[in-house]
Amino acid sequence: MRGEFNYSANNLDLLLLNSPLKNYELFPKLNDFTLPTLGLGYIATCAEAHGFNVEVIDAEALGLGVSQLAEIVNKKSPRWVGLNLLAPTYQNSIEILRQLTPDIRIMLGGHQAKAMPTTILKERRIPRIDALVLGEAETRVPILLGDVESRQSLPQVFWREGDVAVMPKVTGYDPSLLAPDINTLPFVDRKHLQQDPYMDGLVRESAMVASRGCPFDCSFCGAAISANPDVTIRMRKPHNLIAEIVELRNVHHVERVRFVDDLFLANIKLIREILSAFVEEQIKIQWDATGRINVLANASDDIIDLMVLSGCREVALGIESGSDRLLSHIDKKISVRQILTAVERLCRAGVNVKGYFILGLPTETRQEQQQTVELIYRLQDLTSNLPGRFRCSAFEYRPYPGTPDWKRLVSAGYSEQEMMNYEPETLAELFQEKGLRDRDEFNFSTGIQFGEVPVSETRRTLAELMRRQKEL
């Protein structure tokens, strides 16, 4: 069920926006669910804790078009509007900004802002930029709301004066301005999330973040450590996680939580510490998380047992490819052998596995794409009679600014502008498959061929994989 939102005007200090993937005034919205915008929720919650009036509009969740969203913002007339800039929504974000009344201050952040700050500051289509906030913003946004001139002393906050980009180098600042203590941040106020808690089938579920940062450097990933040198890698304490889980269970009647960050199952010592606390405190709730294949393939049996005992229902694994050569090229630090071991161990223990795959990676040969398809089929067959269920989500490759891949592709002659030009149609629309229209895999694409296999052929393979998955 799509979320609802109160569009009535009120006195707002900050209105945070998650731009739509497509302009839903022109294209139909086919997917009724998107993961909640926890980052914006944290910023809103922290700003409210400092006494400011804040709202969040998730236009993707609500299916709002560009002009619809701009009209709502102008009607509400906040002092500030804030947008998280992402590659797939960048063009829509610019068009929204162009339609805002000139008395609204503009605050920008997100992955795109961090990856291309100078380019964004020089972007003439953006009418004004009063604050470009790079990185984690929970502690800096309230300061900016209190006094716009504070930007001169805040680290990693830039702006534009007329046609001039202002990018001061601030030193001697409090480290918490860039790396807040995640064990003292308030829990996200779920009123700021249009689709959380949400129903996954018959189960009421909420998303959580247990960590910040990632120590790995997968070449295609926006969370790669080389793309985020400003991020301090850290994990929330068990008591802090348990307190939020208990609040979600008792206040919001949540039956399952999904840890959406990269690190929850990436370190054996932390896995043991956190899951032992879950068991000891008897949280009585199921949980899903993302895991690292090399960690889970080599973990001792008691770690897998502890996962089951503490309530683990499903683990999402970034498998990406069935080619050892390509896995090395994208710096996954895993092998096909480890993939088979990790998936079989989890499913044999009764834990479901969702495997993520990417077709069309740079340098991928036709044979390597076929190896990926064959690995998916092999994993489905391998686990067909085990207690845990394996399912796949296969994506068409898309490059993101700031990643190791992006730098390699630009050096190889690919156009930055073309790589950010996402096509408005989805694969589900191209294939007219009603059964595929709720798949998040088909939201957007650059349409550029980066490997040996043509894009049209890759898309046909994706559609066939998803058809087969749906039939299982």
Side-chain angles (χ1 to χ4, degrees):
M1 179 67 66
R2 200 172 298 174
E4 296 181 355
F5 190 79
N6 180 6
Y7 302 127
S8 62
N10 51 48
N11 296 321
L12 278 176
D13 294 301
L14 174 62
L15 182 56
L16 293 167
L17 309 179
N18 182 44
S19 299
L21 281 167
K22 296 191 297 183
N23 186 348
Y24 294 120
E25 294 153 21
L26 304 176
F27 301 95
K29 182 169 173 59
L30 304 177
N31 184 348
D32 274 341
F33 177 73
T34 181
L35 279 175
T37 53
L38 288 174
L40 295 182
Y42 265 111
I43 293 170
T45 302
C46 290
E48 272 195 340
H50 284 79
F52 296 104
N53 190 11
V54 187
E55 290 183 7
V56 180
I57 300 179
D58 185 348
E60 176 60 25
L62 296 169
L64 295 173
V66 167
S67 295
Q68 289 175 308
L69 183 57
E71 182 180 355
I72 293 168
V73 176
N74 288 332
K75 183 177 180 181
K76 285 180 171 289
S77 189
R79 290 197 300 120
W80 286 84
V81 67
L83 281 79
N84 58 332
L85 300 180
L86 304 171
T89 60
Y90 185 58
Q91 300 303 326
N92 284 340
S93 295
I94 290 176
E95 188 54 39
I96 292 164
L97 293 170
R98 286 165 54 87
Q99 296 185 34
L100 299 185
T101 56
D103 58 321
I104 300 175
R105 292 189 182 277
I106 293 175
M107 181 186 303
L108 304 175
H111 183 266
Q112 189 94 345
K114 182 191 289 189
M116 311 177 76
T118 303
T119 300
I120 291 170
L121 287 168
K122 292 179 179 179
E123 175 60 75
R124 300 266 62 86
R125 292 177 298 165
I126 299 178
R128 58 198 174 279
I129 301 176
D130 299 290
L132 185 70
V133 185
L134 309 190
E136 300 173 46
E138 289 94 343
T139 50
R140 287 172 291 164
V141 166
I143 298 173
L144 284 167
L145 295 178
D147 180 10
V148 65
E149 296 305 321
S150 66
R151 62 191 179 182
Q152 300 184 51
S153 59
L154 290 174
Q156 296 296 290
V157 175
F158 309 139
W159 63 95
R160 194 169 67 206
E161 292 183 356
D163 293 332
V164 179
V166 182
M167 305 178 72
K169 294 183 178 180
V170 177
T171 59
Y173 54 84
D174 182 346
S176 69
L177 291 173
L178 294 182
D181 182 350
I182 57 177
N183 288 295
T184 60
L185 288 177
F187 302 148
V188 174
D189 190 332
R190 302 283 155 167
K191 73 180 182 184
H192 294 304
L193 306 176
Q194 264 85 63
Q195 288 188 328
D196 191 290
Y198 50 88
M199 296 302 297
D200 183 15
L202 299 176
V203 179
R204 191 168 172 84
E205 184 173 273
S206 271
M208 283 182 60
V209 173
S211 65
R212 297 281 174 98
C214 179
F216 302 101
D217 204 33
C218 302
S219 66
F220 57 88
C221 183
I225 189 170
S226 63
N228 299 276
D230 60 310
V231 176
T232 302
I233 297 169
R234 55 215 194 273
M235 190 87 180
R236 289 169 65 182
K237 298 293 185 182
H239 69 84
N240 185 257
L241 290 171
I242 291 170
E244 184 171 9
I245 290 172
V246 170
E247 179 179 289
L248 289 171
R249 184 190 66 197
N250 294 346
V251 176
H252 300 283
H253 311 293
V254 167
E255 303 164 273
R256 184 167 67 224
V257 295
R258 183 194 302 195
F259 295 102
V260 296
D261 48 293
D262 300 289
L263 284 188
F264 191 74
L265 295 175
N267 180 288
I268 291 295
K269 180 181 177 182
L270 293 176
I271 292 173
R272 192 183 301 278
E273 179 184 0
I274 291 171
L275 299 190
S276 295
F278 282 8
V279 172
E280 183 177 346
E281 294 296 325
Q282 300 182 18
I283 61 170
K284 297 179 181 178
I285 202 166
Q286 286 189 315
W287 56 270
D288 299 346
T290 299
R292 284 289 304 183
I293 288 167
N294 52 339
V295 172
L296 296 175
N298 297 318
S300 59
D301 290 341
D302 71 301
I303 289 292
I304 306 297
D305 294 340
L306 187 57
M307 290 171 59
V308 175
L309 184 62
S310 64
C312 181
R313 182 195 72 108
E314 183 175 76
V315 174
L317 298 175
I319 297 174
E320 323 310 355
S321 175
S323 159
D324 280 323
R325 199 279 309 175
L326 201 51
L327 289 171
S328 176
H329 179 72
I330 62 177
D331 208 11
K332 281 294 293 186
K333 292 183 169 54
I334 62 173
S335 66
V336 172
R337 179 187 61 80
Q338 289 177 320
I339 293 167
L340 293 165
T341 299
V343 171
E344 183 178 12
R345 292 188 75 193
L346 290 169
C347 289
R348 190 172 295 281
V351 177
N352 297 328
V353 174
K354 182 179 184 180
Y356 288 105
F357 299 83
I358 303 174
L359 301 188
L361 283 158
T363 78
E364 180 190 65
T365 66
R366 181 177 297 277
Q367 181 183 13
E368 287 172 329
Q369 186 170 118
Q370 183 58 33
Q371 286 175 335
T372 300
V373 172
E374 290 172 357
L375 177 60
I376 292 171
Y377 293 159
R378 184 177 178 185
L379 290 169
Q380 289 169 341
D381 292 341
L382 180 68
T383 59
S384 60
N385 295 318
L386 296 179
R389 173 175 176 258
F390 173 82
R391 60 188 178 117
C392 76
S393 282
F395 295 78
E396 179 182 337
Y397 175 78
R398 48 209 181 217
Y400 294 112
T403 61
D405 266 3
W406 186 271
K407 297 172 185 177
R408 290 196 296 213
L409 291 169
V410 171
S411 297
Y414 286 91
S415 163
E416 289 191 349
Q417 183 175 357
E418 290 180 1
M419 287 193 292
M420 289 191 294
N421 185 23
Y422 288 90
E423 296 183 355
E425 69 267 18
T426 67
L427 296 189
E429 289 168 323
L430 289 172
F431 286 95
Q432 295 299 307
E433 287 281 342
K434 291 183 179 180
L436 301 178
R437 291 187 176 186
D438 61 348
R439 304 294 304 191
D440 58 356
E441 290 88 340
F442 305 121
N443 272 330
F444 47 88
S445 165
T446 62
I448 300 174
Q449 180 178 335
F450 295 99
E452 184 180 5
V453 181
V455 171
S456 59
E457 187 175 336
T458 294
R459 289 176 173 177
R460 285 195 294 272
T461 301
L462 284 169
E464 179 56 35
L465 286 170
M466 292 300 99
R467 286 192 197 102
R468 171 165 170 155
Q469 177 63 59
K470 197 169 184 65
E471 292 169 358
L472 292 178

